[in-house]
Amino acid sequence: MHDFRYVGKKLYCEDVAVESLAKKFGTPLYVYSQRTLTRHFQELDRAMSPVEHLICFAMKSNSNQSVLRTLANLGGGFDIVSGGELQRVIAAGGDARKCVFAGVGKTDAEIEFALRRGVYCFNAESEPELHRINRVAARLKKIAPVAVRVNPNVDAHTHAKITTGTYENKFGIAIEGIEAIYARAAKLKNLRLRGLQMHIGSQLTTVSPFEQAVTKVLPLVQKLKAKHGLEFFSIGGGLGIIYQPALASGDPAWWQTSAAKKILTPHSYAARLVPLLKPLGMKILMEPGRFISGNSGILVTRVEYVKRTGKKNFVIVDAAMNDLIRPAFYDAYHEIVPLTKKGGAVISSDVVGPICESGDYFCKDRPLPKVGEGDHLALLSAGAYGFVMASVYNTRSPAAEVLVNGRRSALVRKRLPVKEIWAAESVAPWLK
Ligand code: LLP
């Protein structure tokens, strides 16, 4: 459920016509709904309320300061993967003590910074990392809270580039070796074994892989809790969202099908996982990113040209793969809709950007309403892994970002002057 819908012929975000934002702030433009962000956080929070828990928003999915502040104000913590992300949380008014620090390559400087700021836990991904955290903590005369990321070897049945919980991946430590590692880590004087963590992949649209992974890891958590007094079990993120319109808004009867009944919602997720987790008597951490931010954002773009070749109808827009790389990178589907519905003909189209790569497309051969120069389109479900994965390829200035709250809207990231792109560069002295 999100807050982008048509009122008459115009697409609205909450109570604001998106076209008015495109006119005011220009395009390409990311538009986020604060109400959607809030609802997604609160729905999951409520569904999990039978167990003590903390939602640590995976800020890698969307790290705009206003998005972070929205979630911090709701009491959320953050799943961070770099010192830079921790600095962003602090700048946005988030609480470092509610941050879990993940990632396979934490540097000494990042560990030191996180220790000084008092993060809730380091999720370690290897034994050398545990030794390094211990060493840095000893130097600072601190005790570092740690959890080890267990790789349960469960196939999440998602895109190969975003699956993480099998032995093919670089993440975590094989489940068979975990007890021995905790026993060795218990001897490291500057570590406090605080929890166990797992994350099996991203964009999982059914509960079964989560259920399978939790069921597989539970006996291990129980043992570790008894032996080392662990306080929390983190079941990671990965809750998927609906990108396909046929599922999201199309046929109401679809929701009665057996496929629909398997779809992941906060309710179905909690209904299957809470009974497994409650008897543990531990704090449960979650690290959802996309579930909270994905359907909270859209990317608005302007049609520059329509180019008809013998075979194709190319709609050339002013957004490109540098603004939203998911279609090029993962063959990801994003629904594309006009900001103003005109009715009339539907035509099979490729929506493409201006970048000099054939991979620079948002859809291929998709039936879309006929559009012309100056019309605006929105790419839906672009709130997660959208702006954050943007680049300045082709010396294109990053898109601007706007947050909507009811009737209000605010520019939450201005469009950078193109000169800023090379501001940190210089001409070598011998070339002058
Ligand atoms: N926790 C850990 C340890 C992670 O690695 C991730 C995502 C998450 C939580 C949050 O996953 P989420 O709830 O958002 O699925 N760029 C890709 C997704 C990469 C996900 C990386 N890790 C995409 O656009 O689909």
Side-chain angles (χ1 to χ4, degrees), residues 18 57 59 66 68 84 99 138 148 155 160 170 247 282 341 363 370 428:
V18 179
F57 173 60
M59 64 179 282
S66 286
L68 301 186
C99 285
V148 172
D155 189 350
K170 68 181 175 185
L247 311 187
M282 290 171 88
K341 272 195 204 165
C363 72
K370 233 176 175 172

Side-chain angles (χ1 to χ4, degrees), residues 21-22 24-32 62 64 297-301 318-319 322-323 382 386-388 390 396-403 410-417:
L21 299 173
K24 190 165 170 192
F25 301 111
T27 52
L29 183 72
Y30 276 96
V31 178
Y32 307 124
N62 190 323
N64 182 282
I298 63 173
L299 173 60
V300 181
T301 184
D318 68 354
N322 75 300
D323 300 301
F387 182 86
V388 288
R396 290 169 47 85
S397 187
E401 295 173 285
V402 165
L403 183 74
L411 186 65
V412 294
R413 190 183 208 278
K414 67 176 184 201
R415 198 175 303 281
L416 290 184

Side-chain angles (χ1 to χ4, degrees), residues 58 60 79 149 162 199 202 238 287 289-290 326 330 385 389:
K60 62 171 83 69
D79 163 45
R149 175 168 175 176
I162 51 177
H199 171 77
S202 198
E287 302 164 356
R290 187 188 326 257
R326 303 193 69 257
Y330 312 110
Y385 308 107
M389 291 181 79

Side-chain angles (χ1 to χ4, degrees), residues 332-336 347-350 362-368:
Y333 180 100
H334 285 267
E335 188 176 356
I336 302 177
I347 174 163
S348 173
S349 305
D350 285 21
F362 294 123
C363 72
K364 286 193 167 170
D365 301 319
R366 193 184 295 177
L368 286 178

Side-chain angles (χ1 to χ4, degrees), residues 58-86:
M59 64 179 282
K60 62 171 83 69
S61 71
N62 190 323
S63 56
N64 182 282
Q65 290 280 294
S66 286
V67 170
L68 301 186
R69 176 69 71 94
T70 298
L71 297 166
N73 286 350
L74 295 169
F78 297 94
D79 163 45
I80 61 169
V81 288
S82 70
E85 285 198 342
L86 181 54

Side-chain angles (χ1 to χ4, degrees), residues 118-134:
V119 294
Y120 180 73
C121 199
F122 291 88
N123 293 336
E125 303 242 12
S126 66
E127 208 160 358
E129 185 189 330
L130 285 170
H131 284 279
R132 185 185 286 203
I133 296 171
N134 183 58

Side-chain angles (χ1 to χ4, degrees), residues 173-408:
I173 292 172
I175 188 163
E176 296 78 12
I178 291 283
E179 274 188 83
I181 284 194
Y182 273 78
R184 290 195 290 274
K187 298 196 183 108
L188 301 177
K189 294 211 165 47
N190 290 76
L191 298 186
R192 168 185 171 200
L193 303 179
R194 194 166 201 176
L196 181 75
Q197 194 262 357
M198 69 174 187
H199 171 77
I200 55 173
S202 198
Q203 183 52 14
L204 315 191
T205 49
T206 63
V207 189
S208 299
F210 292 108
E211 195 176 31
Q212 239 180 301
V214 166
T215 306
K216 188 161 177 191
V217 173
L218 267 182
L220 175 66
V221 193
Q222 270 154 344
K223 266 194 223 162
L224 294 174
K225 182 189 175 205
K227 229 180 195 157
H228 304 288
L230 300 194
E231 168 185 304
F232 77 88
F233 175 32
S234 171
I235 54 176
L239 296 83
I241 62 168
I242 296 171
Y243 284 98
Q244 302 270 357
L247 311 187
S249 55
D251 180 9
W254 184 84
W255 292 99
Q256 305 311 321
T257 63
S258 63
K261 291 194 174 121
K262 281 196 211 130
I263 212 91
L264 190 150
T265 63
H267 182 75
S268 64
Y269 178 80
R272 303 255 291 274
L273 296 187
V274 164
L276 297 174
L277 296 169
K278 203 171 162 64
L280 261 184
M282 290 171 88
K283 184 167 171 171
I284 302 303
L285 261 58
M286 282 162 290
E287 302 164 356
R290 187 188 326 257
F291 176 76
I292 291 173
S293 58
N295 284 327
S296 306
I298 63 173
L299 173 60
V300 181
T301 184
R302 180 181 187 276
V303 176
E304 293 293 341
Y305 299 97
V306 176
K307 174 173 169 180
R308 291 196 182 89
T309 64
K311 278 194 167 162
K312 292 268 197 180
N313 184 55
F314 288 107
V315 177
I316 303 169
V317 295
D318 68 354
M321 65 192 285
N322 75 300
D323 300 301
L324 178 67
I325 202 172
R326 303 193 69 257
F329 205 29
Y330 312 110
D331 297 315
Y333 180 100
H334 285 267
E335 188 176 356
I336 302 177
V337 299
L339 294 197
T340 304
K341 272 195 204 165
K342 288 188 182 156
V346 164
I347 174 163
S348 173
S349 305
D350 285 21
V351 177
V352 302
I355 283 183
C356 304
E357 298 228 14
S358 351
D360 184 25
Y361 65 87
F362 294 123
C363 72
K364 286 193 167 170
D365 301 319
R366 193 184 295 177
L368 286 178
K370 233 176 175 172
V371 287
E373 186 180 326
D375 288 341
H376 287 109
L377 296 173
L379 290 115
L380 305 188
S381 313
Y385 308 107
F387 182 86
V388 288
M389 291 181 79
S391 74
V392 293
Y393 188 37
N394 280 204
T395 306
R396 290 169 47 85
S397 187
E401 295 173 285
V402 165
L403 183 74
V404 170
N405 178 20
R407 289 175 187 285
R408 291 182 292 184

